[in-house]
Amino acid sequence: MMSNNDRNESQAMLPDVVKEIIINAPVEKVWKAVSSSEGIAAWFMPNNFEPVVGFQFHVDAGPFGKSPCQVLEITPPNRLSFKWDKDWIITFQLEEMEEGTRFTLTHGGWLSEGVTAFNEKHDVVRDRMGNGWVGIVKKLAQFVEEQHGGTSPEA
């Protein structure tokens, strides 16, 4: 039996965008950068995020305006997930490792026939945003490592 939550046949899902990076810092430092409004603003977008399940916030996407979001899951210091705009789910997964923290970003909710709130097709935006996330996760790593002192020549 299919429930209403199952995708219908005309709306095939496109693959999630997944980006992974090892950050040279303890998991608590990375968690602080991905679970606070100030931290998220430093590497992603200005926002009014609060780490509370169900909290509705927005990210300021510049020329695309303010996008509505809602916190879906918070499991400190390992997992945070939020709905972004009308279709997308963003998940930050953190795993403590000997050499630092493995950070995995997943951007899901891509529909083959989907159209964004700014009226662009998902299959077009998915590629552009997938490329954009590469630089964004690097910016997160740089921000955390600078805060932590991991890569500073003065350290």
Side-chain angles (χ1 to χ4, degrees):
M1 283 258 18
M2 290 185 78
S3 73
N4 288 339
N5 291 336
D6 292 332
R7 68 176 189 233
N8 70 39
E9 294 307 310
S10 67
Q11 274 286 53
M13 298 297 290
L14 298 170
D16 291 348
V17 171
V18 179
K19 303 297 175 190
E20 185 178 286
I21 194 166
I22 304 295
I23 300 175
N24 181 23
V27 70
E28 295 81 16
K29 299 280 186 189
V30 181
W31 178 252
K32 187 174 178 185
V34 302
S35 67
S36 68
S37 178
E38 302 77 18
I40 294 168
W43 62 275
F44 183 39
M45 291 185 202
N47 65 87
N48 64 335
F49 173 86
E50 287 187 23
V52 176
V53 171
F55 184 76
Q56 296 184 7
F57 66 103
H58 68 265
V59 292
D60 188 342
F64 298 107
K66 292 184 177 181
S67 297
C69 300
Q70 183 173 17
V71 179
L72 300 175
E73 177 188 353
I74 296 200
T75 309
N78 300 110
R79 189 174 168 91
L80 183 149
S81 184
F82 62 92
K83 183 171 183 169
W84 182 13
D85 209 25
K86 61 186 182 70
D87 299 312
W88 299 324
I89 305 293
I90 306 294
T91 303
F92 304 148
Q93 184 78 37
L94 290 71
E95 180 186 350
E96 191 155 26
M97 304 178 68
E98 201 171 303
E99 63 271 28
T101 301
R102 180 195 322 264
F103 174 79
T104 306
L105 174 136
T106 304
H107 185 164
W110 301 100
L111 303 170
S112 61
E113 304 297 318
V115 177
T116 67
F118 46 94
N119 209 29
E120 287 194 272
K121 291 181 149 208
H122 277 197
D123 58 353
V124 173
V125 176
R126 183 187 169 280
D127 291 341
R128 186 168 64 230
M129 290 185 83
N131 291 332
W133 280 121
V134 172
I136 292 169
V137 297
K138 284 181 182 171
K139 191 172 175 184
L140 167 64
Q142 182 179 18
F143 170 71
V144 172
E145 290 171 356
E146 285 173 0
Q147 296 293 310
H148 178 58
T151 58
S152 168
E154 294 81 26

